[in-house]
């Protein structure tokens, strides 16, 4: 094995049959490289008498002063592919970064299948903020890899025990409970739930658990016939309420796991000549901008996106600085409008 001149990591990559980033990870002991590959790379490095450039290594270790905000691509009626709920959070995160002297790099998580390694190897950013994840059980393995390779990251999501890394999220259970209790207090007894109620969607599941707890407190039980799966799009909400109506199930209210689902459901109810709130009271979750502009205005659970952005940025910077950071649950509040009560503001 002969190399002219000083051996480089590219030479090792060629001889080992791997990429140069894989060589870099192996040489710094990253657990993301399997043991057999690591040993092969280290053996070639020893044979070539390869020496890590300390100055270059130190330069790479320096902080970039940049944080990366990675969005999960959501199905949207426009070309943004960004859940409208995250629009206001983007502004809050940008302001929080500026106040702390950090630049913000914004990208989509789906630009490559290996986005978690891309940022680790390129040193584009000192840490990651993750917004959205789709099916959580499919995303969990990537989050676990981020933890294993020592990447500094925080994510917006349900802050539940045992989840990988640091999660910042709202009190989904309390929000689901309080908005359902409001519907019950208005005399509603057959309250439908539109949204997934499983571990695949932890935030929706927590909202469903709060819904079920509020029903139980009123001496009611969730009716499986009144739960319809839906993802966070108006189209999904429209299809869910149409399926509910087609089933013949009786309901006098519905709680949608997101405002977009609720807005789609409201269109479906109108198409069938149903009045809101007289025939069906409707409530959502998020308090996106459109919730206050539709007629009637949509009752919902408000998540404080300003506080959320500030906490996400602060938590990530503290992680980067080596401090101990814990997941946090932020409070929510009800915003009551005409969709659930003729007396609501």
């Amino acid at each position: 094995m002969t190399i002219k001149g000083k051996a480089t990591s590219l030479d090792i990559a060629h001889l080992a049959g791997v990429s140069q980033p894989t060589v870099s990870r192996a040489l710094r002991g990253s657990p993301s490289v399997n043991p057999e590959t690591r040993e092969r790379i280290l053996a070639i490095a020893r044979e070539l008498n390869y020496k890590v450039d300390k100055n270059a290594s130190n330069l790479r270790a320096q902080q970039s002063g940049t944080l990366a905000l990675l969005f999960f691509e959501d199905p949207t009626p426009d070309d943004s592919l960004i859940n409208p709920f995250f629009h206001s959070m983007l502004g809050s995160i940008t302001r929080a970064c500026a106040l702390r002297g950090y630049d913000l790099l914004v990208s989509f998580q789906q630009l490559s299948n290996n986005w978690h390694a891309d940022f680790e190897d390129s040193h584009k950013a000192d840490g990651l903020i993750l917004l959205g994840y789709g099916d959580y059980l499919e995303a969990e393995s990537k989050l676990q890899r981020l933890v294993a390779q020592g990447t500094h990251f925080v994510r917006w999501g349900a802050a539940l025990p045992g989840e990988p890394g640091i999660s910042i999220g709202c009190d989904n259970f309390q929000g689901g409970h309080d908005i359902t209790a409001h519907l019950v207090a208005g005399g509603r007894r057959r309250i439908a739930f539109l949204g997934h109620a499983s571990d695949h969607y932890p935030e929706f599941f927590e909202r469903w658990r709060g819904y079920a707890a509020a029903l139980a407190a009123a001496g009611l039980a969730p009716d499986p016939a009144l739960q319809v799966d839906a993802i966070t799009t108006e189209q999904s909400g429209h299809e869910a309420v149409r399926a509910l109506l087609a089933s013949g199930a009786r309901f006098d209210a519905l709680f949608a796991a997101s405002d977009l689902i609720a807005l789609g459901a409201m269109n479906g109810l109108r198409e069938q000549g149903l009045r809101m709130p007289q025939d069906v009271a409707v409530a959502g979750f998020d308090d996106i901008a459109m919730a206050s502009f539709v007629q009637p205005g949509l009752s919902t659970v408000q998540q404080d996106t300003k506080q959320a952005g500030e906490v996400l940025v602060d938590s990530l910077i503290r992680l980067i600085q080596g401090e101990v950071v814990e997941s946090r649950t932020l409070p929510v509040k009800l915003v009551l409008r005409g969709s659930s009560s003729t007396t609501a503001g």
Side-chain angles (χ1 to χ4, degrees):
M1 191 182 298
T2 304
I3 298 291
K4 291 184 178 180
K6 184 178 179 181
T8 69
S9 59
L10 288 174
D11 295 323
I12 298 173
H14 175 72
L15 292 168
V18 299
S19 67
Q20 191 273 339
T22 298
V23 170
S24 297
R25 290 200 295 274
L27 293 177
R28 67 171 181 260
S30 170
S32 64
V33 181
N34 73 63
E36 290 183 5
T37 302
R38 183 184 303 114
E39 285 304 316
R40 184 168 76 253
I41 290 170
L42 293 177
I44 294 171
R46 287 192 294 269
E47 189 167 345
L48 294 178
N49 197 29
Y50 176 79
K51 303 292 184 184
V52 176
D53 186 334
K54 296 295 185 182
N55 290 329
S57 179
N58 289 338
L59 180 61
R60 286 194 298 270
Q62 292 176 0
Q63 294 181 2
S64 65
T66 299
L67 304 181
L69 172 62
L70 305 187
F71 285 102
F72 180 85
E73 293 182 359
D74 275 314
T76 58
D78 57 20
D79 294 329
S80 72
L81 300 181
I82 299 175
N83 183 334
F85 168 70
F86 290 134
H87 287 166
S88 58
M89 196 179 290
L90 171 59
S92 175
I93 290 171
T94 302
R95 286 189 294 273
C97 284
L99 289 172
R100 300 295 294 271
Y102 277 81
D103 292 325
L104 185 66
L105 177 65
V106 180
S107 184
F108 279 116
Q109 296 180 24
Q110 302 290 36
L111 291 179
S112 80
N113 292 326
N114 208 29
W115 52 264
H116 53 285
D118 291 344
F119 285 86
E120 170 79 5
D121 295 329
S122 64
H123 303 275
K124 295 177 183 176
D126 302 328
L128 312 178
I129 298 173
L130 308 179
L131 297 184
Y133 49 79
D135 186 324
Y136 175 75
L137 295 185
E138 293 179 3
E140 187 178 17
S141 61
K142 288 187 177 181
L143 299 176
Q144 290 171 337
R145 288 191 64 183
L146 287 178
V147 173
Q149 65 192 28
T151 299
H152 300 114
F153 76 97
V154 296
R155 55 181 288 269
W156 178 258
L160 301 173
E163 296 202 346
I166 301 300
S167 298
I168 308 297
C170 81
D171 196 334
N172 294 289
F173 177 90
Q174 193 65 50
H177 175 280
D178 292 351
I179 196 69
T180 305
H182 159 70
L183 294 173
V184 170
R188 312 295 171 156
R189 292 296 179 269
R190 301 280 298 171
I191 304 172
F193 180 88
L194 304 188
H196 285 267
S198 75
D199 291 337
H200 288 266
Y201 296 85
E203 290 167 292
F204 281 12
F205 195 18
E206 285 298 291
R207 294 167 195 178
W208 180 87
R209 289 183 59 248
Y211 153 87
L215 291 180
L220 305 170
D223 183 346
L226 296 182
Q227 187 272 318
V228 183
D229 289 347
I231 61 172
T232 302
T233 67
E234 290 183 63
Q235 179 68 24
S236 187
H238 184 266
E239 292 173 355
V241 82
R242 286 179 63 87
L244 187 62
L245 291 166
S247 74
R250 294 183 301 102
F251 62 100
D252 54 14
L254 68 83
F255 166 36
S258 78
D259 285 351
L260 285 179
I261 295 173
L263 293 173
M266 290 173 73
N267 286 334
L269 293 172
R270 286 193 194 95
E271 290 173 356
Q272 298 301 312
L274 295 171
R275 301 166 301 162
M276 295 159 284
Q278 294 89 341
D279 300 320
V280 181
V282 178
F285 202 111
D286 286 335
D287 196 28
I288 62 174
M290 280 298 297
S292 62
F293 293 116
V294 293
Q295 290 298 324
L298 176 62
S299 293
T300 186
V301 179
Q302 184 185 82
Q303 304 188 70
D304 189 338
T305 54
K306 180 178 184 296
Q307 183 187 20
E310 292 170 350
V311 173
L312 284 165
V313 171
D314 179 69
S315 297
L316 181 55
I317 293 174
R318 288 171 56 206
L319 274 178
I320 293 167
Q321 294 173 344
E323 298 181 27
V324 176
V325 180
E326 296 182 351
S327 296
R328 284 184 59 182
T329 297
L330 307 180
V332 295
K333 72 174 184 178
L334 297 187
V335 177
L336 304 180
R337 301 186 177 103
S339 69
S340 65
S341 172
T342 55
T343 61

